[in-house]
Amino acid sequence: MTLLTFRFAPSPNGELHLGHAYSALLNQKMAAQAGGRLLLRIEDIDITRCTPQFETGIFRDLEWLGLRWEAPVRRQSEHFAEYRAVLDRLIAEELVYPAFMSRSEIRAFIAETGGRDWPRDPDGVPLYPPLDKALPARERKRRLAENMPFAWRLDVEAATARLAAGLSWLEFADETMSATRAIEAQPQAWGDVIVARRDIPTSYHLAVVLDDALQGVSHVVRGQDLYSATGVQRLLQELLGLSPPRYFHHRLILGPDGRKLSKSFKDTGLAALREAGVSPQDVKRLLGL
Ligand code: GLU
């Protein structure tokens, strides 16, 4: 029998807060209940925002909380060659295209073309305009030869057209994992998402699906804020022939103002709580774990 495999996958672009503690401890609890494994993955592809100091802080905070994980820890920045190989497949299959518009160009284009009714993704960001997808091959080549900045975007229309049937994922109804339901994936809601940058051959979505598959992750337990992103990830799994894990998107820990915690929310930072004399047991009690 293969062991169930869980993972906690923080990004070292800030300090861990109570929301991360909940996610990490819930993964640990569910892995223990299932007699499974817990992996730790450092998601540091954003080399401008991720720092070794934040990474050190993550290890210190997780050890303090009593989290135990299997070695080795996978650090995404050490695997760019693997992401590049997968990206090259998507390029060869013409499922991605170079997108040249800057944020201000996107904004200007949308304002000119009717503005208000422009479709937005679940995070409220306007979808990428269809101009670059339709760029003549010669013009595309010319821009690339001129070293114009660009990002690789998924041609979501072409990608979904490849699917034999509809796309769904299995979501646990709660943390006991006793019931699942099939959720219809809606990758179109995000438009042509970025799957890689010019200088970084991956994005969050691409790295996550590849790593979950390579590491044999069977159960993805993460915050509700990533629920609809799962649609894009399911599509990438399908295009790359990766078998999908099951998912549980847990409740978010909210701040005193009722809003999602952010990395700049100092009061709920684990380091600050520790310095204020709060114990790991207090944290668990606070989180209802
Ligand atoms: N690295 C992501 C974050 O810190 C989590 C990714 C995931 O669990 O899929 O928000």
Side-chain angles (χ1 to χ4, degrees):
M1 201 189 96
T2 45
L3 286 180
L4 303 193
T5 302
F6 295 75
R7 57 33 166 213
F8 177 58
S11 299
N13 57 8
E15 288 179 13
L16 296 191
H17 53 58
L18 282 175
H20 298 105
Y22 183 69
S23 205
L25 291 167
L26 184 61
N27 267 285
Q28 172 151 286
K29 181 177 161 192
M30 291 174 71
Q33 276 167 357
R37 313 158 62 206
L38 177 62
L39 308 178
L40 175 65
R41 185 165 74 223
I42 299 293
E43 301 210 322
D44 60 348
I45 57 168
D46 184 350
I47 44 185
T48 56
R49 290 171 62 221
C50 295
T51 68
Q53 288 77 9
F54 285 135
E55 189 185 303
T56 306
I58 287 178
F59 283 109
R60 196 184 45 223
D61 291 347
L62 294 180
E63 276 160 14
W64 173 71
L65 275 179
L67 204 79
R68 296 288 172 265
W69 56 85
E70 276 186 25
V73 170
R74 185 174 171 95
R75 193 178 284 110
Q76 290 187 325
S77 60
E78 292 169 354
H79 297 276
F80 283 167
E82 286 156 64
Y83 306 133
R84 178 81 234 178
V86 170
L87 173 64
D88 284 343
R89 268 170 64 193
L90 295 174
I91 295 173
E93 291 186 38
E94 297 185 1
L95 289 168
V96 294
Y97 63 88
F100 298 97
M101 291 172 90
S102 66
R103 252 186 237 160
S104 58
E105 284 169 336
I106 298 173
R107 223 175 299 126
F109 176 82
I110 292 172
E112 270 165 37
T113 20
R116 289 247 192 97
D117 300 328
W118 193 266
R120 288 167 184 269
D121 72 21
D123 284 345
V125 177
L127 301 195
Y128 193 73
L131 298 185
D132 289 339
K133 196 168 87 171
L135 220 52
R138 268 186 52 210
E139 175 61 11
R140 192 173 278 171
K141 259 201 193 135
R142 186 188 69 77
R143 293 188 186 187
L144 291 174
E146 273 182 15
N147 248 335
M148 264 180 84
F150 72 93
W152 291 105
R153 283 186 182 264
L154 181 69
D155 183 340
V156 74
E157 205 185 334
T160 44
R162 294 269 181 105
L163 302 176
L167 200 58
S168 63
W169 79 82
L170 285 183
E171 175 85 20
F172 290 108
D174 61 39
E175 63 173 72
T176 65
M177 300 199 293
S178 50
T180 54
R181 53 208 166 103
I183 308 291
E184 190 194 336
Q186 291 178 332
Q188 306 86 340
W190 296 90
D192 291 353
V193 286
I194 292 180
V195 291
R197 310 263 168 194
R198 186 173 56 164
D199 311 318
I200 301 177
T202 187
S203 63
Y204 158 61
H205 293 303
L206 191 62
V208 141
V209 297
L210 192 67
D211 287 353
D212 283 340
L214 286 174
Q215 296 190 284
V217 171
S218 60
H219 290 67
V220 170
V221 174
R222 61 184 180 190
Q224 201 114 53
D225 49 341
L226 291 170
Y227 184 84
S228 54
T230 312
V232 176
Q233 295 174 16
R234 277 296 294 119
L235 178 56
L236 287 172
Q237 286 158 353
E238 217 55 30
L239 298 174
L240 298 170
L242 307 172
S243 60
R246 294 176 177 212
Y247 292 88
F248 176 53
H249 291 91
H250 59 70
R251 69 182 176 94
L252 296 180
I253 304 299
L254 303 177
D257 57 356
R259 292 170 60 174
K260 195 183 135 186
L261 297 179
S262 82
K263 292 195 171 170
S264 54
F265 205 153
K266 285 273 178 270
D267 300 351
T268 57
L270 297 183
L273 291 172
R274 183 170 59 243
E275 274 150 36
V278 173
S279 74
Q281 289 67 32
D282 295 333
V283 171
K284 285 183 195 160
R285 213 171 309 120
L286 201 70
L287 296 171
L289 285 167

